[in-house]
Amino acid sequence: MRVAVIFEHLPTSSGWLLIQFENELEETHHLAAGFVLNISHTQLTIGYLLIITQSIKKVLLIFAKEDNQSDGFWWACDRAGYRCNIARTPESALECFLDKHQEIIVIDHRNSRYFDAEDICRSIRATKSSEHTVILAVVPRQFMENSSITACYNELVQIEHGEVRSQFKLRACNAVFTALDHCQEAIEITSEDHVIQYVNPAFERMMGYHKGELIGKELTELPKSDKNCADLLDTINTFIKKGKEWQGVYYARRKSGDSIQQHVKITPVIGQGGSYLMHFKGFWFVFTESHSFKCKNRRKDSIDVKSITSQSSDAPGLQTRRYSSMARIHSMTIEAPITKVINIINAAQENSPITVAEALDRVLEILRTTELYSPQLGTKDEDPHTNDLVGGLMTVSKISKDETTVTNVLHHSSGHSHLSVPNTISDVPPCIAQLLDNEESWDFNIFELEAVTNKRPLVHLGLKIFARFGVSEFLNCSEATLRAWLQVIEANYHSSNSYHNSTHAADVLHATAFFLGKERVKGSLDHLDEVAALIAATIHDVDHPGRTNSFLCNAGSELAVLYNDTAVLESHHTALAFQLTTKDSKCNIFKNIDRNHYRTLRQAIIDMVLATEMTKHFEHVNKFVNSINKPMSEGSNCDCTANIKNFPDNQTLIKRMMIKCADVANPCRPLELCIEWAGRISEEYFAQTDEEKRQGLPVVMPVFDRNTCSIPKSQISFIDYFITDMFDAWDAFAHLPVLMQHLANNYKHWKTLDELKCKSLRLPPENNN
Ligand code: AMP
Ligand code: ZN
């Protein structure tokens, strides 16, 4: 018996492809002997065997006369569970096939007397539904046909597992390609060597080419965008060669010459007989100088960045479709929030009147800058004091005209090991105890405490305040541990600094405790937040060298190197405080709390100390205004503190704002205290300028030169630039009329001095009446 498999689409002369079935193998090895595999095309199909699992159900036998051979197939179908029809004439065969769409057709081709098998084959092939049908022919040979049911059965099974499955696979492929054709993402398939095999209509729309212009072309033949760097192409190739998927942003050039930015995913598809690369091209942006969709008054030199998707074209009337694609873009979770915002604005621009679109252009320009929270100094701010304060407190470093010298300005904690013998709380000398009685008042005089404690106000005030807030109870630690901890921390403040010493820490702790007593603050925070805030205030400037971050960066100090010129001091204060705390069990206030509590507390402390870094000043203030003040002023009588408690992010914003305000509350203290603080900070700045000059370092804040500085001017600038807005916002939340009154008085004081051209802290005695 011989069986022929018909592949009409294969390039054989007759359209028949004959595959021998060897009799001898039938009994012993029938499953493996289905086809003679020396015909290369059949080998191609073998690879798909395992993939298609759908079982065939229908067979059509076209035999003019019933005989052993047709019976053999009939009973083989029966054994295999296939439904079988027999047709006796070409007409009934075609009719039956059109009705049932059998997967296998077996045509009797042994005798041309009854019908022409090739004719039948052609007429069946001419129907659309035969595209995936396997047609076999039984042809005569010098030996007898094989009518054994087993032989017929085996043949059918072989066909099912071979040709029929490959036809299923082809059918599935068609479905896949139909899906690709309808997909809104642009898809391109290239061979391993970058010859384009397929592009979908979305791709044609996106790139402006017809597929006929692309298929068969090598990618290198197409005009490339010069925006991709060589590194990117190397990276892509490395990924692909390893069989890994690559995703990222890639620039391509459209037929019209525009460069477009695409989010591309390239997936290698490794299969038999070669590999393919699938390029999925997601949303994209067009960079065009030549035309834009809408904006007429764009500045010539600005690049017009429009987001479009593969659904869009330059044709009019596609805005709604573009919008739906934009919606897809917005839902992409891998996008950074700022990208989403920009995309939303882009989409809103599409349907907006030109004035709105232009206003949104302005918004986009602002959003694309990285410094969203730092006000840009305009003409009104060209005051040298403001400039210097901003430069000195908010920028990392200044490039020196001279070579920067590397110095180590830090005197690590080695000089502070001598601790005074701990007192018990009842041992507190009466003069100290008496002073501390007034500790809850905003007008509490920290300098008096500094004097009576011999410059150790932090331990005493700390013990009193920590007791008031139940810190020992929360931490489950003894008063002795707490005292030892306060002593270690205080000892690591530099008493030689005129401003950043432990009196400043005590002052910030005092202000923090005062704020925590305010009803709305108390209502918004949990006990853990209170404890974290008090600890953060205590440690927030520990081991401060009396120099600014800019100075340390310019000087290439050890700390600046350690913290990569980023939040150098604040990182150091936090890290050192935790080292000092945990290295000795005697002062480890955290030793008795469980790991989870410790982690939460530690996180809150770190966050607060880092929030005191001035480069983030406007970010913290603006976030507070947007998330706390604004919703509060909009939601009339709602119980806002209960609302805040449910939102840890808002609690974080409040804690940051609280420590920031406590840290620079000195302009809101009673006049005499405010003046003292202004004198101290000025002295510290002067000392820095002196050292910068001595060492040939860049002078970070030239106005703070002891020979020329106007302290009133510097205070006016500091209040105008950093203090007023922040305390307005904090007062609107925490209700602090006393502070705001002091601030107004103090500001007036500095203004008066300035108007009288006085550069010092106070008027000379003769003007003082
Ligand atoms: P901190 O170093 O944590 O105390 O951060 C507060 C910043 O504000 C520091 O850089 C101080 O130098 C600065 N600062 C505080 N009070 C004043 C003031 N009255 N005048 C000028 N700068 C001040
Ligand atoms: Zn501070």
Side-chain angles (χ1 to χ4, degrees), residues 672-726:
E672 278 312 307
L673 304 185
C674 160
I675 291 173
E676 176 64 22
W677 286 122
R680 290 183 177 207
I681 190 66
S682 303
E683 177 49 41
E684 200 170 291
Y685 288 157
F686 295 159
Q688 175 170 312
T689 304
D690 291 345
E691 190 178 346
E692 285 164 342
K693 286 183 177 172
R694 256 198 326 273
Q695 296 200 15
L697 290 168
V699 177
V700 176
M701 297 182 282
V703 294
F704 287 97
D705 184 317
R706 61 175 76 252
N707 303 312
T708 53
C709 183
S710 161
I711 294 178
K713 274 196 200 305
S714 74
Q715 290 306 299
I716 290 166
S717 296
F718 183 67
I719 294 172
D720 280 342
Y721 200 74
F722 292 108
I723 300 298
T724 309
D725 288 349
M726 181 167 74

Short mmCIF file of all heavy atoms in Angstrom, two decimals, residues 672-726:
data_model
loop_
_atom_site.label_atom_id
_atom_site.label_comp_id
_atom_site.label_asym_id
_atom_site.label_seq_id
_atom_site.Cartn_x
_atom_site.Cartn_y
_atom_site.Cartn_z
N GLU A 672 14.22 88.88 72.64
CA GLU A 672 15.58 88.73 73.18
C GLU A 672 16.19 87.37 72.78
O GLU A 672 17.37 87.28 72.47
CB GLU A 672 15.58 88.88 74.70
CG GLU A 672 15.60 90.33 75.16
CD GLU A 672 16.68 91.15 74.43
OE1 GLU A 672 17.85 90.72 74.45
OE2 GLU A 672 16.35 92.19 73.83
N LEU A 673 15.36 86.34 72.82
CA LEU A 673 15.87 85.02 72.44
C LEU A 673 16.18 85.00 70.94
O LEU A 673 17.20 84.48 70.50
CB LEU A 673 14.84 83.93 72.78
CG LEU A 673 14.36 83.85 74.23
CD1 LEU A 673 13.43 82.65 74.41
CD2 LEU A 673 15.54 83.72 75.19
N CYS A 674 15.29 85.60 70.18
CA CYS A 674 15.47 85.65 68.72
C CYS A 674 16.78 86.35 68.37
O CYS A 674 17.54 85.88 67.52
CB CYS A 674 14.26 86.37 68.11
SG CYS A 674 14.52 87.03 66.48
N ILE A 675 17.04 87.45 69.06
CA ILE A 675 18.27 88.20 68.79
C ILE A 675 19.50 87.35 69.13
O ILE A 675 20.47 87.29 68.38
CB ILE A 675 18.27 89.53 69.58
CG1 ILE A 675 17.20 90.47 69.02
CG2 ILE A 675 19.64 90.19 69.56
CD1 ILE A 675 16.99 91.74 69.84
N GLU A 676 19.42 86.66 70.27
CA GLU A 676 20.55 85.81 70.68
C GLU A 676 20.82 84.73 69.61
O GLU A 676 21.97 84.50 69.23
CB GLU A 676 20.25 85.17 72.04
CG GLU A 676 21.31 84.18 72.53
CD GLU A 676 22.67 84.82 72.80
OE1 GLU A 676 22.74 86.04 73.01
OE2 GLU A 676 23.70 84.08 72.76
N TRP A 677 19.75 84.11 69.14
CA TRP A 677 19.95 83.07 68.11
C TRP A 677 20.53 83.67 66.83
O TRP A 677 21.42 83.07 66.21
CB TRP A 677 18.62 82.37 67.79
CG TRP A 677 18.15 81.40 68.85
CD1 TRP A 677 16.97 81.43 69.53
CD2 TRP A 677 18.87 80.24 69.32
NE1 TRP A 677 16.88 80.37 70.40
CE2 TRP A 677 18.04 79.63 70.30
CE3 TRP A 677 20.11 79.69 69.06
CZ2 TRP A 677 18.42 78.47 70.99
CZ3 TRP A 677 20.48 78.53 69.73
CH2 TRP A 677 19.64 77.95 70.69
N ALA A 678 20.03 84.85 66.45
CA ALA A 678 20.54 85.49 65.23
C ALA A 678 22.03 85.77 65.38
O ALA A 678 22.82 85.57 64.44
CB ALA A 678 19.77 86.77 64.94
N GLY A 679 22.42 86.21 66.58
CA GLY A 679 23.84 86.47 66.83
C GLY A 679 24.65 85.19 66.71
O GLY A 679 25.73 85.17 66.11
N ARG A 680 24.11 84.11 67.28
CA ARG A 680 24.87 82.85 67.26
C ARG A 680 25.03 82.28 65.85
O ARG A 680 26.12 81.85 65.47
CB ARG A 680 24.17 81.82 68.16
CG ARG A 680 24.29 82.18 69.63
CD ARG A 680 23.67 81.12 70.51
NE ARG A 680 23.85 81.47 71.92
CZ ARG A 680 23.91 80.58 72.91
NH1 ARG A 680 23.77 79.29 72.65
NH2 ARG A 680 24.09 80.96 74.15
N ILE A 681 23.92 82.28 65.09
CA ILE A 681 24.03 81.69 63.74
C ILE A 681 24.95 82.56 62.88
O ILE A 681 25.76 82.05 62.10
CB ILE A 681 22.66 81.46 63.06
CG1 ILE A 681 22.81 80.63 61.77
CG2 ILE A 681 21.93 82.75 62.73
CD1 ILE A 681 23.26 79.24 61.96
N SER A 682 24.85 83.89 63.07
CA SER A 682 25.72 84.77 62.27
C SER A 682 27.18 84.49 62.62
O SER A 682 28.03 84.40 61.72
CB SER A 682 25.40 86.25 62.56
OG SER A 682 24.04 86.49 62.28
N GLU A 683 27.46 84.33 63.91
CA GLU A 683 28.84 84.06 64.32
C GLU A 683 29.35 82.76 63.69
O GLU A 683 30.49 82.68 63.22
CB GLU A 683 28.93 84.01 65.85
CG GLU A 683 30.31 83.67 66.40
CD GLU A 683 31.44 84.50 65.78
OE1 GLU A 683 31.26 85.72 65.58
OE2 GLU A 683 32.52 83.91 65.48
N GLU A 684 28.49 81.75 63.66
CA GLU A 684 28.92 80.48 63.08
C GLU A 684 29.20 80.63 61.57
O GLU A 684 30.18 80.10 61.05
CB GLU A 684 27.85 79.40 63.33
CG GLU A 684 28.42 78.00 63.21
CD GLU A 684 27.45 76.93 63.70
OE1 GLU A 684 27.20 76.85 64.92
OE2 GLU A 684 26.95 76.17 62.84
N TYR A 685 28.32 81.40 60.90
CA TYR A 685 28.55 81.65 59.46
C TYR A 685 29.84 82.45 59.26
O TYR A 685 30.61 82.18 58.34
CB TYR A 685 27.38 82.43 58.86
CG TYR A 685 26.09 81.66 58.68
CD1 TYR A 685 24.86 82.32 58.60
CD2 TYR A 685 26.06 80.26 58.54
CE1 TYR A 685 23.66 81.65 58.41
CE2 TYR A 685 24.86 79.58 58.36
CZ TYR A 685 23.66 80.28 58.29
OH TYR A 685 22.49 79.62 58.11
N PHE A 686 30.06 83.47 60.13
CA PHE A 686 31.29 84.27 59.99
C PHE A 686 32.52 83.37 60.13
O PHE A 686 33.48 83.49 59.37
CB PHE A 686 31.35 85.36 61.07
CG PHE A 686 30.28 86.41 60.99
CD1 PHE A 686 29.94 87.18 62.11
CD2 PHE A 686 29.62 86.65 59.79
CE1 PHE A 686 28.96 88.15 62.04
CE2 PHE A 686 28.62 87.63 59.72
CZ PHE A 686 28.29 88.37 60.85
N ALA A 687 32.46 82.49 61.12
CA ALA A 687 33.61 81.60 61.34
C ALA A 687 33.85 80.72 60.12
O ALA A 687 34.99 80.45 59.74
CB ALA A 687 33.34 80.73 62.58
N GLN A 688 32.76 80.30 59.47
CA GLN A 688 32.93 79.49 58.26
C GLN A 688 33.59 80.30 57.14
O GLN A 688 34.52 79.83 56.49
CB GLN A 688 31.56 78.96 57.79
CG GLN A 688 31.67 78.20 56.47
CD GLN A 688 30.39 77.45 56.11
OE1 GLN A 688 29.82 76.75 56.95
NE2 GLN A 688 29.95 77.58 54.87
N THR A 689 33.08 81.55 56.98
CA THR A 689 33.68 82.41 55.94
C THR A 689 35.16 82.63 56.22
O THR A 689 36.01 82.54 55.32
CB THR A 689 32.94 83.76 55.86
OG1 THR A 689 31.56 83.48 55.65
CG2 THR A 689 33.45 84.64 54.75
N ASP A 690 35.47 82.88 57.49
CA ASP A 690 36.89 83.06 57.88
C ASP A 690 37.70 81.85 57.43
O ASP A 690 38.77 81.98 56.82
CB ASP A 690 37.04 83.18 59.40
CG ASP A 690 36.44 84.49 59.94
OD1 ASP A 690 36.19 85.39 59.12
OD2 ASP A 690 36.21 84.56 61.17
N GLU A 691 37.19 80.66 57.73
CA GLU A 691 37.94 79.45 57.41
C GLU A 691 38.05 79.24 55.90
O GLU A 691 39.09 78.83 55.39
CB GLU A 691 37.32 78.22 58.09
CG GLU A 691 38.25 77.02 57.95
CD GLU A 691 37.73 75.76 58.62
OE1 GLU A 691 36.78 75.85 59.42
OE2 GLU A 691 38.30 74.70 58.32
N GLU A 692 36.95 79.54 55.21
CA GLU A 692 36.99 79.40 53.74
C GLU A 692 38.09 80.28 53.16
O GLU A 692 38.84 79.87 52.27
CB GLU A 692 35.62 79.78 53.15
CG GLU A 692 34.57 78.69 53.37
CD GLU A 692 33.13 79.17 53.16
OE1 GLU A 692 32.88 80.40 53.18
OE2 GLU A 692 32.25 78.31 53.00
N LYS A 693 38.16 81.50 53.69
CA LYS A 693 39.19 82.42 53.18
C LYS A 693 40.58 81.89 53.53
O LYS A 693 41.47 81.89 52.68
CB LYS A 693 39.01 83.81 53.79
CG LYS A 693 37.82 84.56 53.19
CD LYS A 693 37.77 85.94 53.81
CE LYS A 693 36.68 86.80 53.24
NZ LYS A 693 36.54 88.05 54.01
N ARG A 694 40.71 81.44 54.76
CA ARG A 694 42.01 80.94 55.21
C ARG A 694 42.49 79.79 54.33
O ARG A 694 43.63 79.69 53.96
CB ARG A 694 41.89 80.43 56.65
CG ARG A 694 42.48 81.36 57.69
CD ARG A 694 42.74 80.65 59.02
NE ARG A 694 41.81 79.62 59.42
CZ ARG A 694 40.68 79.84 60.09
NH1 ARG A 694 40.30 81.07 60.40
NH2 ARG A 694 39.91 78.83 60.45
N GLN A 695 41.55 78.91 54.02
CA GLN A 695 41.93 77.69 53.30
C GLN A 695 41.83 77.82 51.79
O GLN A 695 42.03 76.85 51.06
CB GLN A 695 41.05 76.54 53.77
CG GLN A 695 41.24 76.21 55.22
CD GLN A 695 40.75 74.80 55.52
OE1 GLN A 695 40.55 74.00 54.61
NE2 GLN A 695 40.59 74.49 56.78
N GLY A 696 41.44 79.00 51.32
CA GLY A 696 41.32 79.18 49.87
C GLY A 696 40.16 78.38 49.29
O GLY A 696 40.18 77.98 48.13
N LEU A 697 39.15 78.13 50.12
CA LEU A 697 37.96 77.42 49.62
C LEU A 697 36.98 78.44 49.05
O LEU A 697 37.06 79.62 49.38
CB LEU A 697 37.29 76.68 50.79
CG LEU A 697 38.04 75.47 51.34
CD1 LEU A 697 37.41 75.04 52.66
CD2 LEU A 697 38.00 74.34 50.33
N PRO A 698 36.03 77.99 48.24
CA PRO A 698 35.02 78.94 47.76
C PRO A 698 34.26 79.51 48.96
O PRO A 698 33.94 78.75 49.88
CB PRO A 698 34.09 78.07 46.92
CG PRO A 698 34.78 76.79 46.70
CD PRO A 698 35.79 76.62 47.79
N VAL A 699 33.99 80.79 48.93
CA VAL A 699 33.21 81.39 50.02
C VAL A 699 31.73 81.18 49.68
O VAL A 699 31.22 81.73 48.72
CB VAL A 699 33.55 82.88 50.20
CG1 VAL A 699 32.67 83.50 51.28
CG2 VAL A 699 35.03 83.03 50.55
N VAL A 700 31.10 80.33 50.48
CA VAL A 700 29.74 79.91 50.16
C VAL A 700 28.74 81.04 50.34
O VAL A 700 27.84 81.24 49.56
CB VAL A 700 29.35 78.69 51.04
CG1 VAL A 700 27.93 78.30 50.80
CG2 VAL A 700 30.28 77.53 50.76
N MET A 701 28.89 81.80 51.43
CA MET A 701 27.96 82.90 51.70
C MET A 701 28.75 84.19 51.96
O MET A 701 28.97 84.57 53.11
CB MET A 701 27.09 82.54 52.92
CG MET A 701 26.22 81.32 52.70
SD MET A 701 25.17 80.94 54.11
CE MET A 701 26.33 80.16 55.19
N PRO A 702 29.17 84.85 50.87
CA PRO A 702 30.04 86.02 51.04
C PRO A 702 29.43 87.11 51.90
O PRO A 702 30.17 87.86 52.54
CB PRO A 702 30.26 86.51 49.61
CG PRO A 702 29.87 85.39 48.72
CD PRO A 702 28.89 84.55 49.46
N VAL A 703 28.08 87.22 51.94
CA VAL A 703 27.52 88.31 52.77
C VAL A 703 27.80 88.07 54.26
O VAL A 703 27.79 89.01 55.05
CB VAL A 703 25.99 88.51 52.59
CG1 VAL A 703 25.66 89.00 51.19
CG2 VAL A 703 25.20 87.28 52.96
N PHE A 704 28.04 86.81 54.63
CA PHE A 704 28.34 86.55 56.04
C PHE A 704 29.84 86.72 56.31
O PHE A 704 30.54 85.80 56.67
CB PHE A 704 27.82 85.17 56.47
CG PHE A 704 26.33 85.15 56.61
CD1 PHE A 704 25.52 84.69 55.59
CD2 PHE A 704 25.73 85.64 57.77
CE1 PHE A 704 24.14 84.71 55.70
CE2 PHE A 704 24.35 85.66 57.88
CZ PHE A 704 23.54 85.19 56.85
N ASP A 705 30.25 87.95 56.08
CA ASP A 705 31.63 88.34 56.36
C ASP A 705 31.56 89.26 57.57
O ASP A 705 30.84 90.27 57.55
CB ASP A 705 32.20 89.08 55.13
CG ASP A 705 33.66 89.44 55.29
OD1 ASP A 705 34.03 89.90 56.41
OD2 ASP A 705 34.42 89.27 54.33
N ARG A 706 32.29 88.92 58.62
CA ARG A 706 32.13 89.65 59.89
C ARG A 706 32.45 91.14 59.74
O ARG A 706 32.01 91.95 60.55
CB ARG A 706 32.93 89.01 61.02
CG ARG A 706 34.43 88.96 60.82
CD ARG A 706 35.14 88.41 62.05
NE ARG A 706 35.01 86.94 62.19
CZ ARG A 706 34.26 86.35 63.10
NH1 ARG A 706 33.52 87.05 63.94
NH2 ARG A 706 34.23 85.03 63.17
N ASN A 707 33.21 91.49 58.70
CA ASN A 707 33.57 92.90 58.55
C ASN A 707 32.48 93.71 57.84
O ASN A 707 32.45 94.93 57.94
CB ASN A 707 34.87 93.03 57.75
CG ASN A 707 35.99 92.26 58.43
OD1 ASN A 707 36.18 92.40 59.65
ND2 ASN A 707 36.68 91.42 57.67
N THR A 708 31.64 93.06 57.11
CA THR A 708 30.69 93.81 56.28
C THR A 708 29.23 93.45 56.49
O THR A 708 28.35 94.16 56.05
CB THR A 708 31.02 93.55 54.78
OG1 THR A 708 31.06 92.13 54.59
CG2 THR A 708 32.34 94.17 54.38
N CYS A 709 28.97 92.33 57.16
CA CYS A 709 27.60 91.79 57.16
C CYS A 709 26.59 92.68 57.87
O CYS A 709 26.85 93.22 58.96
CB CYS A 709 27.61 90.42 57.83
SG CYS A 709 26.00 89.63 57.82
N SER A 710 25.42 92.79 57.27
CA SER A 710 24.28 93.40 57.97
C SER A 710 23.42 92.27 58.51
O SER A 710 22.74 91.57 57.75
CB SER A 710 23.47 94.26 57.00
OG SER A 710 22.18 94.47 57.56
N ILE A 711 23.50 92.06 59.82
CA ILE A 711 22.70 90.97 60.41
C ILE A 711 21.21 91.21 60.21
O ILE A 711 20.48 90.28 59.83
CB ILE A 711 23.08 90.76 61.90
CG1 ILE A 711 24.53 90.26 61.98
CG2 ILE A 711 22.12 89.76 62.56
CD1 ILE A 711 25.06 90.06 63.38
N PRO A 712 20.71 92.46 60.42
CA PRO A 712 19.27 92.67 60.18
C PRO A 712 18.86 92.28 58.76
O PRO A 712 17.85 91.61 58.57
CB PRO A 712 19.09 94.16 60.42
CG PRO A 712 20.19 94.53 61.37
CD PRO A 712 21.35 93.66 60.97
N LYS A 713 19.67 92.67 57.79
CA LYS A 713 19.33 92.31 56.40
C LYS A 713 19.29 90.79 56.23
O LYS A 713 18.39 90.24 55.58
CB LYS A 713 20.35 92.91 55.43
CG LYS A 713 20.05 94.32 55.00
CD LYS A 713 20.90 94.65 53.76
CE LYS A 713 21.04 96.15 53.52
NZ LYS A 713 19.77 96.90 53.42
N SER A 714 20.27 90.13 56.82
CA SER A 714 20.30 88.67 56.65
C SER A 714 19.08 88.03 57.31
O SER A 714 18.50 87.09 56.78
CB SER A 714 21.60 88.09 57.22
OG SER A 714 21.56 88.09 58.64
N GLN A 715 18.67 88.58 58.47
CA GLN A 715 17.49 88.02 59.14
C GLN A 715 16.21 88.30 58.36
O GLN A 715 15.34 87.44 58.26
CB GLN A 715 17.38 88.55 60.58
CG GLN A 715 18.48 88.02 61.50
CD GLN A 715 18.53 86.49 61.49
OE1 GLN A 715 17.56 85.83 61.84
NE2 GLN A 715 19.65 85.92 61.04
N ILE A 716 16.13 89.50 57.79
CA ILE A 716 14.94 89.83 56.97
C ILE A 716 14.85 88.85 55.79
O ILE A 716 13.80 88.27 55.50
CB ILE A 716 15.02 91.30 56.47
CG1 ILE A 716 14.84 92.25 57.66
CG2 ILE A 716 13.97 91.57 55.40
CD1 ILE A 716 15.22 93.71 57.37
N SER A 717 15.99 88.62 55.16
CA SER A 717 15.99 87.70 54.01
C SER A 717 15.64 86.29 54.44
O SER A 717 14.86 85.59 53.77
CB SER A 717 17.37 87.69 53.34
OG SER A 717 17.65 88.96 52.81
N PHE A 718 16.21 85.87 55.57
CA PHE A 718 15.94 84.51 56.04
C PHE A 718 14.45 84.34 56.34
O PHE A 718 13.82 83.36 55.94
CB PHE A 718 16.77 84.21 57.30
CG PHE A 718 16.60 82.81 57.82
CD1 PHE A 718 17.07 81.70 57.10
CD2 PHE A 718 15.97 82.58 59.05
CE1 PHE A 718 16.91 80.41 57.58
CE2 PHE A 718 15.82 81.28 59.54
CZ PHE A 718 16.29 80.20 58.80
N ILE A 719 13.88 85.34 57.00
CA ILE A 719 12.45 85.26 57.34
C ILE A 719 11.60 85.32 56.07
O ILE A 719 10.69 84.50 55.89
CB ILE A 719 12.06 86.40 58.32
CG1 ILE A 719 12.77 86.18 59.67
CG2 ILE A 719 10.54 86.46 58.53
CD1 ILE A 719 12.62 87.33 60.67
N ASP A 720 11.94 86.27 55.19
CA ASP A 720 11.15 86.39 53.96
C ASP A 720 11.18 85.10 53.15
O ASP A 720 10.18 84.66 52.62
CB ASP A 720 11.72 87.52 53.06
CG ASP A 720 11.26 88.90 53.53
OD1 ASP A 720 10.26 88.95 54.29
OD2 ASP A 720 11.90 89.90 53.15
N TYR A 721 12.36 84.56 53.03
CA TYR A 721 12.51 83.44 52.09
C TYR A 721 12.10 82.10 52.68
O TYR A 721 11.44 81.29 52.03
CB TYR A 721 13.97 83.39 51.61
CG TYR A 721 14.11 82.60 50.32
CD1 TYR A 721 13.67 83.15 49.11
CD2 TYR A 721 14.66 81.33 50.32
CE1 TYR A 721 13.79 82.43 47.93
CE2 TYR A 721 14.77 80.61 49.14
CZ TYR A 721 14.34 81.16 47.95
OH TYR A 721 14.45 80.45 46.79
N PHE A 722 12.48 81.83 53.93
CA PHE A 722 12.23 80.50 54.48
C PHE A 722 11.11 80.44 55.53
O PHE A 722 10.48 79.40 55.70
CB PHE A 722 13.51 79.94 55.13
CG PHE A 722 14.60 79.62 54.16
CD1 PHE A 722 15.73 80.41 54.08
CD2 PHE A 722 14.51 78.51 53.32
CE1 PHE A 722 16.75 80.12 53.18
CE2 PHE A 722 15.52 78.21 52.42
CZ PHE A 722 16.65 79.01 52.35
N ILE A 723 10.94 81.54 56.27
CA ILE A 723 10.14 81.43 57.49
C ILE A 723 8.65 81.78 57.32
O ILE A 723 7.78 81.02 57.75
CB ILE A 723 10.76 82.30 58.62
CG1 ILE A 723 12.19 81.81 58.92
CG2 ILE A 723 9.91 82.27 59.88
CD1 ILE A 723 12.29 80.38 59.42
N THR A 724 8.38 82.92 56.69
CA THR A 724 7.00 83.42 56.69
C THR A 724 6.00 82.39 56.15
O THR A 724 5.03 82.04 56.83
CB THR A 724 6.92 84.73 55.89
OG1 THR A 724 7.93 85.60 56.39
CG2 THR A 724 5.56 85.38 56.04
N ASP A 725 6.25 81.94 54.95
CA ASP A 725 5.28 81.01 54.33
C ASP A 725 5.16 79.72 55.15
O ASP A 725 4.07 79.19 55.34
CB ASP A 725 5.72 80.64 52.91
CG ASP A 725 5.53 81.82 51.96
OD1 ASP A 725 4.87 82.80 52.37
OD2 ASP A 725 6.04 81.74 50.82
N MET A 726 6.31 79.24 55.60
CA MET A 726 6.26 77.97 56.32
C MET A 726 5.46 78.11 57.62
O MET A 726 4.62 77.26 57.93
CB MET A 726 7.68 77.47 56.63
CG MET A 726 7.66 76.14 57.37
SD MET A 726 9.27 75.35 57.41
CE MET A 726 10.11 76.35 58.59
#
